Amino acid sequence: MADEPINQMVNPDQERLPHPPEYHVMVLVVDDQAMVCEAVRRALANQTDIDFHYCADAREALAIANQIKPTVILQDLVMPGVDGLTLVKQFRSNPATKDTPIIVLSTNENPQVKGHAFALGANDYLVKLPDKIELIARIRYHSMAYLNLLQRDAAYRALRESQQQLIESNAALISLNQRLEEATLAKSQFLANMSHEIRTPMNGVVGMTGLLLDTELTDEQRDYVESTRTSADALLTIINDILDFSKIESGKLELDHHPFELHACIEEVMDLLASKAAEKNLDLAYLVDDAIPKILVSDVTRLRQILVNLIGNAVKFTNQGEVVIEVTSSGRTVRSIPFGHEHDTEFLRHPDEWLLHISVRDTGIGIPLDRQSRLFKSFQQVDASTTRHYGGTGLGLAICKRLAELLGGKIWVESDAGKGSTFHFTITARAPASSKPPAWQNPQPQLAGKRLLVIEDNATNRRIITQRGENWGMTVETAANGRDALALLAQGDLFDAVILDLELPDKDGLALAEEIRKQPAGRYAPLLLLSSRHPSGDGARPLPASVSVSIHKPIHPAQLLDAMCRALSVHVQREKKLPVAPTLDADLARRLPLRLLLADDNPINQKVGLTVLNKLGYHADIANNGLEVLKALERKAYDILFLDVQMPEMDGLEAARQICQRWPAGKRPCIIAMTGNALMGDREKCLKAGMDDYISKPVRIGDLQSALQRWGPVKTRKPDTAFVTRPKSTSADNLLDQSTIAELRKMPPSNGISMLQELVDLFLEAAPQRIAQISQSINDGPMLAFHAHALKSMGLNLGVKRVVQLSQKLEELGRARNVHGAPALLQELETAFTQTKAQLLTLRNQ
Ligand code: ADP
């Protein structure tokens, strides 16, 4: 028991306790005289904190001391068998007692012996028998000093130990950090590689479908190709999702705010998921509060991403019923103009800020309350069995949460297990102070007063159609099944139109259509069939003659209005749409002749690139890698080099660096990177390597065309045309002779085609060829005059004033064989033709 306190003192764990260990003393008396021992025992009898041990045989003293670990040793100097001073020496050289205080007991004061004892390591000297108080004081004093020493040593050892641990964990941390850095680097390299690997074949898919869409296709084929393109785009979205997640995680996601149409955004997403919903017989529907402006400014790609995820999940986890998207406004504020934005037109055009509340409600499996908190955490699904059944990465909602927050809102869920879920999110969006609503939000005089019967079991769709119909001025009655509908018709109520669902609970829609036709009240009413968009297309079930028009679910209000007007043979108020797809400028190569080199190791990408360039009128040479690029440049001068970044043998970055080293700026082609790496910083890398521009794969026709338009003029600008100032944008009056146009308009049409239309078509077909001939004979006076004259004559009939003026000038130069100023005039002519063409097309379609 006696050694316990001391042991506790040296325990480093104890050492870290806030309180010092209990003070406890152990005295070892080594003396052959029992009387001395008894005297000491008596002196210490009342001292409860002092333990006492007696050893009469000096030869055993060391072993006993090792065992009991005294805090102080009282030791006689004259003993049989062992000399007292030798014993002191032994204690000092014994590891367990080397620091234990030794008080030497002597029969008399002898300075010599004292000096000797101290020299050998004794700490004190007392003459027998000492005074009780003095003895206790000395025992306490020495014990205390010894215990302090032990304590200090233990503390020191513990300190050393923790210092050592600190050094070790620091070293471990440094190496972990190093590994982490390596892993992060490997991760982003991996992402870049994957992005490249996936985007390369995607480039083929997107490029080829783009080309296919530019060929003559039947409506059905066009539909298929468009679906392929939509799917390819969706796949790209997923790839971007994965990249996005890592970008969001590292705080590198950048938003891209642009004006967009909210309805179009929702409809696109719903169309993407419509076939999946149709496969499961789910009703898809959406409602947007009419107060919300048609055009908003936000990051539509990110909004679409959230919607695809939430609606996708809703369809995935719902086996029957419906998925309904609803957009309401949670608030609108007029923003005050921040300092420095007083002249910011983008800001002034969109001064209002809206907080949109978007909900996606389903009637699916629902989510238990206790699992809802996990939903928005990354890589977590509600439970493993759900994942096995439905698949998924568990990343979607985590991305949605971050995106909603980035868009200025938040996301949350309400759900009842077994009954369905509603995911809500908010975003802020800017909007013009007032904007024109879409045509279908306005009352429609041509439909006013017409009576409409809606036969649809889905309450949401009934509500949507009723609300729209009533807004247009129609009187709407509804029936949730075939039986009720027939009962209504049997009452003799006459309807101007009937909308009926193809899939009713009690009756097949087509069979019902036949029955309606048999009723006197329904004999002549146009029937509009509401059907889900099946993946196989509606061709699977041909429409019977009784059906006038079919409408696809999810119902798009614009399409509903269109169908209704067609069914009732009334005029449709259409909105003028801007052209969606960039039109190919087949004339570009002629106006902007360029020598092109395309470097890509992938044969499909080469094919896509070459074909697109061909469509623009160019013939490009091909290189398979960086080395081939350098060889090609040694052989021939090029104006523009389209350079893939990841290629075998020599990659694009290295190739760009070498080109810049070997050829001075004016003598080398303009280098445009084409890369599948879409990570931040890639653009900088390319530009740093000496490239001039960057387009990311999949390369779209429009991107390529605008790159050529951007860089082509830099390369083709010749000294003799340098004085030509940029053509000012020309108004219609300067381009066209309005009186000639007005006269042409008045002329009677032949075969249903107006004179104006016919002449426009003829001119637009023939003029480009003439301009090409003018360009070819630019140095040949007589030929130039001949072709310019032909163009002038053609233009006179149509009143294309500016084109006529310029061809006349060219004709005069040609005749005078003074072709010096001809190239500049030709450039003006080309610009004038492009502008005139746009004007003519507008006129023609009016
Ligand atoms: P995943 O991409 O794997 O679907 P999400 O993050 O989008 O991942 O969803 C995580 C989990 O949340 C899903 O696996 C599912 O268990 C649950 N969940 C999400 N949406 C719904 C819903 N509408 N109904 C029921 N469960 C849902």
Side-chain angles (χ1 to χ4, degrees):
M1 278 311 291
D3 58 349
E4 241 178 63
I6 293 174
N7 267 348
Q8 275 181 9
M9 309 258 169
V10 292
N11 183 342
D13 287 341
Q14 294 286 329
E15 188 55 30
R16 285 179 205 119
L17 292 172
H19 301 292
E22 212 178 291
Y23 168 63
H24 207 100
V25 179
M26 164 61 77
V27 183
L28 171 64
V29 181
V30 187
D31 201 315
D32 57 319
Q33 294 173 327
M35 193 255 305
V36 175
C37 166
E38 180 56 20
V40 174
R41 193 189 63 76
R42 282 189 188 180
L44 302 179
N46 295 332
Q47 309 301 315
T48 50
D49 62 327
I50 302 182
D51 281 333
F52 167 81
H53 202 99
Y54 172 58
C55 166
D57 187 346
R59 284 164 304 185
E60 291 171 3
L62 219 58
I64 291 172
N66 282 347
Q67 203 184 342
I68 65 165
K69 299 189 172 65
T71 58
V72 65
I73 298 168
L74 289 181
Q75 187 212 301
D76 191 12
L77 275 184
V78 188
M79 289 176 289
V82 179
D83 169 35
L85 289 174
T86 310
L87 184 60
V88 171
K89 231 167 110 181
Q90 283 174 353
F91 275 134
R92 282 296 165 253
S93 50
N94 174 34
T97 52
K98 69 179 178 34
D99 294 319
T100 316
I102 301 173
I103 304 175
V104 184
L105 298 174
S106 172
T107 36
N108 53 18
E109 284 273 0
N110 182 340
Q112 229 174 349
V113 178
K114 259 190 201 176
H116 209 148
F118 280 123
L120 288 173
N123 301 74
D124 207 347
Y125 190 100
L126 280 176
V127 177
K128 291 194 257 194
L129 288 165
D131 171 69
K132 178 183 166 185
I133 295 171
E134 188 183 349
L135 177 68
I136 292 171
R138 287 190 190 245
I139 285 174
R140 281 197 195 285
Y141 168 76
H142 286 292
S143 288
M144 195 59 151
Y146 178 58
L147 288 172
N148 280 342
L149 180 81
L150 286 184
Q151 216 169 347
R152 197 198 64 203
D153 284 358
Y156 180 69
R157 267 199 309 277
L159 191 70
R160 280 281 303 275
E161 232 168 77
S162 43
Q163 269 177 345
Q164 192 56 36
Q165 274 171 6
L166 209 66
I167 291 169
E168 279 164 18
S169 42
N170 244 353
L173 211 64
I174 289 169
S175 103
L176 185 72
N177 224 358
Q178 236 163 18
R179 284 207 306 269
L180 266 178
E181 267 172 30
E182 280 163 18
T184 313
L185 202 72
K187 193 175 113 189
S188 51
Q189 190 55 46
F190 173 76
L191 283 174
N193 284 342
M194 279 315 284
S195 152
H196 175 83
E197 290 302 322
I198 301 171
R199 276 158 184 269
T200 300
M202 283 309 291
N203 191 39
V205 178
V206 173
M208 287 296 180
T209 43
L211 288 171
L212 209 54
L213 279 173
D214 206 47
T215 60
E216 279 217 357
L217 295 173
T218 64
D219 282 354
E220 196 184 0
Q221 286 168 334
R222 181 162 298 276
D223 205 37
Y224 293 155
V225 181
E226 259 159 12
S227 301
T228 312
R229 189 163 67 172
T230 317
S231 310
D233 283 342
L235 187 55
L236 265 180
T237 315
I238 297 174
I239 299 163
N240 289 337
D241 255 17
I242 299 170
L243 290 171
D244 276 354
F245 186 70
S246 48
K247 274 195 221 167
I248 300 174
E249 288 295 271
S250 53
K252 284 186 181 163
L253 188 91
E254 279 175 357
L255 293 182
D256 198 6
H257 288 273
H258 284 299
F260 70 97
E261 281 189 37
L262 181 62
H263 279 270
C265 166
I266 300 174
E267 286 172 2
E268 268 169 40
V269 176
M270 304 214 18
D271 288 347
L272 196 72
L273 298 161
S275 59
K276 259 198 209 123
E279 271 170 32
K280 298 170 98 177
N281 258 333
L282 300 177
D283 274 308
L284 260 187
Y286 89 96
L287 284 144
V288 177
D289 184 348
D290 280 355
I292 297 170
K294 181 176 138 193
I295 295 183
L296 295 164
V297 179
S298 177
D299 188 330
V300 65
T301 313
R302 303 302 166 192
L303 171 61
R304 199 182 296 121
Q305 204 174 342
I306 303 180
L307 285 173
V308 168
N309 218 301
L310 296 187
I311 304 176
N313 276 350
V315 171
K316 185 157 135 187
F317 297 108
T318 304
N319 296 322
Q320 59 180 31
E322 60 178 1
V323 173
V324 180
I325 292 85
E326 199 155 352
V327 187
T328 55
S329 153
S330 281
R332 172 188 179 183
T333 46
V334 179
R335 297 181 303 158
S336 53
I337 303 175
F339 182 71
H341 284 257
E342 295 82 356
H343 305 292
D344 181 344
T345 47
E346 167 56 26
F347 183 92
L348 295 174
R349 249 186 290 143
H350 304 107
D352 282 8
E353 191 145 70
W354 291 74
L355 183 64
L356 303 183
H357 177 166
I358 304 166
S359 63
V360 177
R361 179 173 60 78
D362 66 54
T363 51
I365 60 171
I367 303 155
L369 193 63
D370 57 329
R371 310 242 169 106
Q372 289 175 14
S373 58
R374 282 195 229 158
L375 278 180
F376 302 102
K377 295 186 179 144
S378 33
F379 305 108
Q380 297 225 6
Q381 268 129 341
V382 167
D383 67 34
S385 62
T386 319
T387 314
R388 272 197 300 280
H389 189 207
Y390 295 97
T393 55
L395 210 54
L397 291 175
I399 294 184
C400 288
K401 177 173 185 283
R402 308 256 204 321
L403 290 179
E405 287 164 358
L406 281 171
L407 294 177
K410 55 184 182 170
I411 191 165
W412 68 101
V413 65
E414 282 170 349
S415 182
D416 248 351
K419 291 192 182 149
S421 321
T422 307
F423 281 85
H424 302 264
F425 70 99
T426 52
I427 62 161
T428 55
R430 281 176 287 130
S434 64
S435 67
K436 219 174 123 216
W440 52 262
Q441 274 182 12
N442 296 329
Q444 302 290 320
Q446 74 280 28
L447 296 177
K450 306 255 188 228
R451 286 171 53 79
L452 171 67
L453 172 60
V454 181
I455 314 166
E456 157 69 297
D457 59 318
N458 181 278
T460 312
N461 276 333
R462 277 204 308 273
R463 189 174 131 213
I464 292 174
I465 302 173
T466 307
Q467 190 188 331
R468 277 294 145 229
E470 288 179 350
N471 276 359
W472 295 334
M474 304 178 85
T475 310
V476 186
E477 295 239 21
T478 58
N481 53 52
R483 202 188 52 242
D484 292 356
L486 288 171
L488 257 174
L489 287 164
Q491 291 171 7
D493 283 352
L494 284 177
F495 288 97
D496 296 295
V498 179
I499 295 186
L500 77 158
D501 187 13
L502 183 63
E503 272 141 42
L504 286 166
D506 60 340
K507 253 188 183 49
D508 175 69
L510 294 181
L512 180 63
E514 296 305 320
E515 286 188 49
I516 292 174
R517 280 280 173 259
K518 286 184 200 144
Q519 298 255 356
R523 183 157 303 145
Y524 303 111
L527 297 183
L528 292 91
L529 192 69
L530 207 52
S531 69
S532 298
R533 204 183 289 268
H534 279 281
S536 52
D538 284 331
R541 288 186 84 180
L543 286 183
S546 53
V547 173
S548 318
V549 190
S550 86
I551 309 168
H552 290 301
K553 289 190 205 174
I555 298 170
H556 300 185
Q559 284 170 6
L560 181 65
L561 175 60
D562 208 69
M564 187 68 74
C565 290
R566 270 192 290 140
L568 289 167
S569 303
V570 294
H571 173 69
V572 189
Q573 277 189 4
R574 277 182 210 280
E575 282 173 81
K576 286 198 190 102
K577 284 233 165 188
L578 292 172
V580 252
T583 39
L584 264 185
D585 184 351
D587 235 22
L588 191 64
R590 204 192 38 71
R591 282 186 288 116
L592 214 58
L594 294 166
R595 293 158 298 182
L596 306 181
L597 179 62
L598 176 76
D600 200 313
D601 59 314
N602 182 293
I604 299 212
N605 284 349
Q606 292 177 357
K607 195 165 165 199
V608 171
L610 283 183
T611 322
V612 171
L613 290 171
N614 258 327
K615 293 240 159 202
L616 298 170
Y618 292 101
H619 299 283
D621 291 340
I622 287 284
N624 289 300
N625 57 49
L627 287 177
E628 288 190 18
V629 169
L630 294 177
K631 277 190 202 139
L633 292 186
E634 282 162 11
R635 279 196 304 269
K636 183 173 159 187
Y638 287 95
D639 296 314
I640 294 187
L641 162 63
F642 289 104
L643 187 59
D644 185 22
V645 173
Q646 294 199 3
M647 287 184 294
E649 310 225 17
M650 183 191 283
D651 68 12
L653 294 174
E654 183 53 31
R657 275 191 285 269
Q658 295 215 13
I659 294 171
C660 292
Q661 269 168 17
R662 289 172 57 179
W663 286 276
K667 295 252 156 50
R668 63 175 181 248
C670 158
I671 310 174
I672 300 174
M674 292 192 306
T675 160
N677 294 359
L679 294 178
M680 251 192 177
D682 283 331
R683 189 186 167 87
E684 287 66 32
K685 259 189 237 159
C686 292
L687 299 182
K688 218 169 139 202
M691 306 199 200
D692 299 289
D693 203 350
Y694 172 105
I695 47 184
S696 65
K697 282 185 185 168
V699 174
R700 287 161 207 272
I701 300 178
D703 294 343
L704 216 54
Q705 185 168 310
S706 28
L708 288 166
Q709 282 164 335
R710 210 163 35 247
W711 292 100
V714 178
K715 284 288 165 185
T716 51
R717 197 173 292 137
K718 309 239 164 60
D720 59 345
T721 57
F723 63 87
V724 177
T725 46
R726 257 177 180 283
K728 292 175 215 78
S729 79
T730 325
S731 80
D733 281 346
N734 291 335
L735 294 170
L736 300 175
D737 182 350
Q738 298 298 351
S739 59
T740 317
I741 301 284
E743 268 178 42
L744 286 172
R745 263 191 205 291
K746 280 190 226 142
M747 295 202 176
S750 71
N751 294 334
I753 300 173
S754 78
M755 190 68 181
L756 177 67
Q757 201 176 335
E758 211 172 335
L759 277 181
V760 166
D761 287 349
L762 276 174
F763 177 76
L764 291 183
E765 206 183 312
Q769 206 185 349
R770 278 295 170 204
I771 299 178
Q773 285 159 334
I774 293 175
S775 164
Q776 278 156 14
S777 46
I778 202 83
N779 294 319
D780 178 349
M783 282 311 279
L784 176 64
F786 174 77
H787 292 302
H789 177 81
L791 181 65
K792 185 184 77 179
S793 322
M794 226 157 54
L796 277 170
N797 295 333
L798 194 57
V800 286
K801 216 158 68 174
R802 184 81 187 125
V803 171
V804 169
Q805 284 163 0
L806 291 165
S807 10
Q808 162 119 32
K809 280 191 192 166
L810 279 165
E811 188 187 351
E812 284 162 11
L813 286 185
R815 278 194 209 296
R817 297 182 189 244
N818 172 16
V819 293
H820 182 65
L825 273 177
L826 172 63
Q827 245 194 8
E828 274 192 73
L829 174 67
E830 284 167 344
T831 315
F833 174 69
T834 315
Q835 291 167 341
T836 309
K837 183 175 167 184
Q839 293 287 338
L840 289 175
L841 285 174
T842 320
L843 281 177
R844 185 193 179 283
N845 297 332
Q846 263 170 7

